[in-house]
Amino acid sequence: MDQDEILLDAEERMDKAVHVLQGQLQGIRTGRATPGLVDSVRVDYYGSPTPLKQMANVSVPEPQQILIRPFDAQMVGEIAKAIQASDMGLAPNTDGRVVRLNIPPLSTERRRQLVSRVKELAEEARISIRNIRRDANKHADQAEKDKVMGEDERDNTKTDIQDLTKKFEGKVNSMADAKEKDVMDE
């Protein structure tokens, strides 16, 4: 691999790590209702686990409520079961056609638990980014051994890899800080 390939690969993989974190953070509850809270819910749809958003319209008619309107009205019961089985701690209300989730306000203790979970997820993302940096540095060392690039080029590549690492760790930190602030605000 030459310098450009190593840097491009590292940047793409770091970007994916940030996107994964972004998706995980969307599923963490704040005091407000968002459709992202139910993104991780899988519903047993005729024997196969299907993401909720593929089988229902998810909307937020009020700040404290999520409304789930299934495309197939017969699936209301299955959707309610899947939500109860998830670890969200929400009780679904059904009227035969739609499922309503009322989002209760978070206690201070629960907010602290959620903030610690945000920190764990952010640290996992930073570890992932550092592992990508390690792999990219190995590729640069190997390219130098294989005479694809010289020592100076390898050192420049490693410097660029470190710059990428700092950039993506900064993104992770800012996303985590924003989510923590969001969770702690009432």
Side-chain angles (χ1 to χ4, degrees):
M1 294 177 91
D2 69 354
Q3 182 180 11
D4 292 338
E5 288 173 338
I6 292 169
L7 291 172
L8 187 63
D9 179 57
E11 187 171 13
E12 284 176 355
R13 290 174 59 202
M14 287 179 186
D15 196 44
K16 283 181 188 171
V18 169
H19 276 54
V20 167
L21 175 66
Q22 191 173 25
Q24 290 172 326
L25 291 179
Q26 277 183 339
I28 290 184
R29 246 177 85 188
T30 59
R32 292 181 294 293
T34 62
L37 287 176
V38 294
D39 277 352
S40 63
V41 174
R42 299 243 184 264
V43 180
D44 183 32
Y45 188 65
Y46 299 109
S48 69
T50 308
L52 179 61
K53 61 184 175 184
Q54 288 182 7
M55 54 189 302
N57 250 344
V58 180
S59 61
V60 180
E62 300 170 24
Q64 300 296 318
Q65 187 180 76
I66 297 175
L67 183 70
I68 302 167
R69 190 179 309 274
F71 303 132
D72 180 357
Q74 297 173 1
M75 296 308 296
V76 168
E78 288 294 324
I79 290 171
K81 271 193 237 173
I83 291 169
Q84 284 177 329
S86 72
D87 62 349
M88 291 190 306
L90 298 174
N93 300 324
T94 62
D95 67 2
R97 292 175 298 151
V98 297
V99 177
R100 293 180 197 281
L101 294 175
N102 291 316
I103 310 296
L106 295 170
S107 67
T108 306
E109 182 181 337
R110 182 67 180 139
R111 287 178 192 277
R112 287 189 187 116
Q113 289 172 345
L114 290 172
V115 165
S116 71
R117 180 68 182 138
V118 167
K119 288 179 180 177
E120 288 172 19
L121 292 172
E123 185 57 28
E124 287 172 15
R126 284 190 289 269
I127 289 170
S128 175
I129 288 169
R130 291 178 195 135
N131 288 340
I132 295 164
R133 174 185 63 191
R134 184 195 63 222
D135 292 347
N137 284 337
K138 282 182 183 175
H139 285 303
D141 290 336
Q142 189 60 44
E144 195 241 334
K145 283 181 188 169
D146 295 344
K147 307 275 189 246
V148 175
M149 64 173 73
E151 273 185 52
D152 290 344
E153 196 175 8
R154 180 203 63 201
D155 293 342
N156 289 340
T157 303
K158 284 187 172 187
T159 302
D160 291 345
I161 291 167
Q162 182 59 34
D163 292 344
L164 276 177
T165 304
K166 285 180 183 172
K167 172 183 155 190
F168 282 99
E169 280 185 341
K171 283 184 181 181
V172 166
N173 292 339
S174 65
M175 286 169 56
D177 290 345
K179 190 63 174 189
E180 285 176 32
K181 184 178 181 301
D182 204 21
V183 168
M184 291 311 284
D185 284 349
E186 295 201 33

